[in-house]
Amino acid sequence: MAKRTPSIDTKNLTAVQLMELDSCTRCGECVKWCPTYAATDGKPGLAPRDKILRWRQYMNKSYGIKAKLFGPQEIPQSELEEFKDDVHSCTTCGICGTVCESGINTVELWEALRANLVKKGIGPYGKQNMFPKLIGQYHNPYLLDQKDRLAWVPDDVKIEDKSDLVYFTGCTAGYKQLTLAFATSRVLNKLGIKFAMLGEDEWCCGSALIRTGQAHVNGMVPLQVAKHNVEAIKKMGAKKVLFACAGCFRTAKIDWPRLLGEELPFEVVHITEFLEDLIKQGKIKWEKSIDKTITYHDPCHLGRHVGVYDAPRYVLSHIPGVKFVEMDRIKEFQRCCGAGGGVKAGIPDLAEGIAQSRVKDALETKADLLSSACPFCKRNLMDGRDSMKADIDVEDIIELVAQALGLKLD
Ligand code: SF4
Ligand code: SF4
């Protein structure tokens, strides 16, 4: 009788991750915090614990003692397809890892499982499969012309040809949410800070590929993206690179050095950290008051993934007129907006459902305005707000800073 081959393999999973699968104690703490599980009224299969236990079971069926003695037990394709749907429904928010008593690095695990399945031709989810082609061919996920990278730049904004500071706009701010790019560039100009941009040499940071387990598809590895962007930044002579997008920031800060296997030759800074420093140095002279009660949503990619919690709060609470209030769930225990991990592109209804929960958190504070520091969070929180017909403004911190400096946003 021909020997059966296991239905799954261990590609993309590290030895540590294989041990982590065994270290889950089934305590269920992660289940209480998972935003996708909550937004689907506890859909079986979406709970982080359930995903870990299922993969552990698959491993046992494929490589356990019984599998060694009697051959691997088959896992039906339909079951793997269902598992794929469940693992791609995760926003990679990371709160399951934060609360996990066994210290499992869940975000890395979900991404590894996604990559493992995508390699087998199972997944990704829905429109997410367009990312490799779009990013590979167009260098942005929006099917837009790379030549138009700087088309958003208004006449009043001054950009240097070369500078030791580069503003990495990101695809979303550069093509879709232009007010974020207008605000960032005008704030820098107003503060007398010279900066350059990469123009056509700014490629998508690669986040969408990495987060959805498609790092290797079509030969368009994020390594190429990381190499290209890092080389372009080096050519510019930059010592510091500014990001106003939490997704790009996380990718540059964590994924690029890991992919390249070396430290980056420049500093990666989020715009809120940069502004916090300037405020502390007394270099910001506010011109207008924003008389509003404002709360702040921590983007997962800025907060839990990198640990930037205080800078956005510092900036907000220094804007004249702002009364800053906190939601119940903040910082490492913040509730995800629902947009991350490819969920906005792949399962928009789920993304919107999660956003509604976050908007409800904000409404409980009686704030006039819900702020964040990421274009994805802003978009999804606005969608959640609109679908609930809730009465609360949603703006990025940099837009508020621009307004308080008397700058226009169009
Ligand atoms: S990362 Fe967030 S969305 Fe994904 S399983 Fe964990 S808690 Fe749920
Ligand atoms: S919190 Fe950690 S140990 Fe507990 S069930 Fe979840 S993954 Fe397992």
Side-chain angles (χ1 to χ4, degrees):
M1 193 171 76
K3 202 174 165 222
R4 280 200 305 268
T5 50
S7 304
I8 59 159
D9 56 46
T10 56
K11 282 190 189 126
N12 286 86
L13 289 155
T14 63
V16 170
Q17 286 171 331
L18 293 172
M19 285 192 283
E20 283 180 335
L21 291 169
D22 282 330
S23 72
C24 172
T25 61
R26 308 172 186 225
C27 70
E29 190 59 25
C30 55
V31 183
K32 295 184 214 158
W33 294 84
C34 175
T36 52
Y37 186 71
T40 53
D41 293 326
K43 181 174 178 275
L46 290 193
R49 174 182 60 186
D50 182 83
K51 285 180 281 196
I52 287 180
L53 295 181
R54 267 191 290 165
W55 195 265
R56 180 152 102 192
Q57 196 188 53
Y58 297 161
M59 289 296 294
N60 281 335
K61 284 184 173 177
S62 305
Y63 303 102
I65 292 178
K66 274 194 191 164
K68 284 205 170 75
L69 291 173
F70 308 112
Q73 236 181 297
E74 194 189 341
I75 304 158
Q77 182 77 6
S78 58
E79 209 175 315
L80 290 177
E81 287 284 345
E82 199 181 317
F83 184 85
K84 173 266 292 179
D85 288 352
D86 293 342
V87 86
H88 278 276
S89 301
C90 158
T91 64
T92 63
C93 75
I95 198 161
C96 47
T98 300
V99 300
C100 177
E101 63 173 27
S102 300
I104 299 174
N105 186 338
T106 50
V107 170
E108 301 275 330
L109 184 60
W110 310 140
E111 287 177 9
L113 291 173
R114 287 175 176 189
N116 176 289
L117 288 171
V118 169
K119 262 188 188 158
K120 286 178 81 66
I122 303 173
Y125 197 100
K127 289 185 198 161
Q128 293 169 350
N129 65 6
M130 298 292 289
F131 289 147
K133 187 163 182 231
L134 292 172
I135 296 171
Q137 215 166 306
Y138 296 90
H139 304 316
N140 70 77
Y142 299 122
L143 197 67
L144 292 167
D145 197 331
Q146 183 68 5
K147 289 200 173 65
D148 291 337
R149 271 279 170 189
L150 294 182
W152 63 269
V153 180
D155 290 343
D156 61 293
V157 166
K158 174 149 175 42
I159 302 169
E160 308 299 317
D161 293 334
K162 250 183 184 312
S163 172
D164 56 8
L165 180 73
V166 157
Y167 166 38
F168 191 101
T169 323
C171 306
T172 303
Y175 287 115
K176 296 282 180 183
Q177 290 193 36
L178 305 190
T179 51
L180 192 65
F182 294 157
T184 309
S185 56
R186 285 187 179 131
V187 165
L188 293 174
N189 275 181
K190 174 89 179 186
L191 299 175
I193 291 156
K194 294 191 168 153
F195 69 97
M197 292 178 60
L198 302 180
E200 279 185 54
D201 267 334
E202 182 184 309
W203 287 8
C204 171
C205 67
S207 173
L209 290 169
I210 302 168
R211 307 281 85 84
T212 58
Q214 301 183 86
H216 61 286
V217 181
N218 285 0
M220 182 57 210
V221 289
L223 175 62
Q224 288 169 300
V225 171
K227 257 189 189 157
H228 172 88
N229 283 323
V230 169
E231 282 309 312
I233 293 164
K234 270 162 60 179
K235 248 190 242 161
M236 197 59 84
K239 295 195 173 63
K240 196 177 271 192
V241 185
L242 270 186
F243 294 83
C245 170
C248 300
F249 172 70
R250 188 262 195 229
T251 307
K253 186 108 177 167
I254 297 178
D255 297 302
W256 287 359
R258 188 166 52 188
L259 289 162
L260 296 167
E262 59 191 31
E263 294 282 303
L264 300 181
F266 47 78
E267 206 186 334
V268 170
V269 181
H270 191 264
I271 187 75
T272 55
E273 299 176 297
F274 190 75
L275 292 170
E276 180 190 26
D277 275 354
L278 292 176
I279 295 170
K280 285 181 175 166
Q281 291 167 37
K283 290 189 175 162
I284 296 192
K285 305 278 174 265
W286 304 105
E287 293 186 7
K288 286 197 173 156
S289 178
I290 297 183
D291 300 321
K292 285 185 177 173
T293 302
I294 298 181
T295 192
Y296 171 67
H297 163 77
D298 292 274
C300 304
H301 289 128
L302 185 64
R304 263 193 299 272
H305 287 217
V306 182
V308 178
Y309 296 116
D310 296 334
R313 290 175 167 79
Y314 188 89
V315 174
L316 273 175
S317 51
H318 280 78
I319 296 175
V322 168
K323 182 182 170 213
F324 179 61
V325 290
E326 291 278 22
M327 289 182 265
D328 270 352
R329 286 184 51 178
I330 58 165
K331 300 187 177 179
E332 58 268 54
F333 298 108
Q334 151 271 40
R335 193 198 306 270
C336 171
C337 80
V343 172
K344 185 75 177 162
I347 322 168
D349 290 349
L350 175 60
E352 197 172 289
I354 300 172
Q356 289 181 353
S357 301
R358 195 52 171 157
V359 171
K360 277 183 202 150
D361 291 343
L363 292 172
E364 278 170 17
T365 68
K366 309 266 185 258
D368 309 305
L369 192 148
L370 168 57
S371 68
S372 193
C374 173
F376 289 99
C377 295
K378 181 184 172 188
R379 175 73 267 155
N380 205 41
L381 291 168
M382 285 169 75
D383 290 347
R385 185 256 334 252
D386 293 346
S387 61
M388 295 163 72
K389 298 192 175 22
D391 183 18
I392 189 164
D393 291 333
V394 179
E395 294 214 53
D396 195 284
I397 291 181
I398 190 66
E399 293 164 343
L400 296 168
V401 169
Q403 287 167 44
L405 288 172
L407 300 165
K408 55 181 183 160
L409 291 175
D410 52 14

